[in-house]
Amino acid sequence: MVGVMEEQVLEFLRTRFAQLSDEEKDIIRSLAGTPEGQVLAKMFGPTIMREIVFRKPSGPIKRRGLGTR
């Protein structure tokens, strides 16, 4: 069961996600099952995470930064 506060958080996340570029959305989607995604799941908690559905990224993710070399 999702309470009022959780519903407000979910609506906020949906709105912010919709404003991301397709590439940024794919980056978020690629976090499913990764250590980074697991940390986000801990932060959001089980109530909110049950309501979030991760799709597969629409294409290959372009990695950036020093860790991609």
Side-chain angles (χ1 to χ4, degrees), residues 46-58:
T47 303
I48 290 177
M49 288 307 294
R50 275 193 295 274
E51 301 296 320
I52 296 176
V53 177
F54 285 99
R55 293 186 306 160
K56 292 191 184 249
S58 61

Side-chain angles (χ1 to χ4, degrees), residues 17-18 20-34 49 51-59 61:
F17 186 80
L20 297 175
S21 69
D22 288 340
E23 183 178 346
E24 291 168 325
K25 289 176 184 176
D26 281 344
I27 291 169
I28 296 294
R29 291 176 182 130
S30 72
L31 294 176
T34 66
M49 288 307 294
E51 301 296 320
I52 296 176
V53 177
F54 285 99
R55 293 186 306 160
K56 292 191 184 249
S58 61
I61 305 301

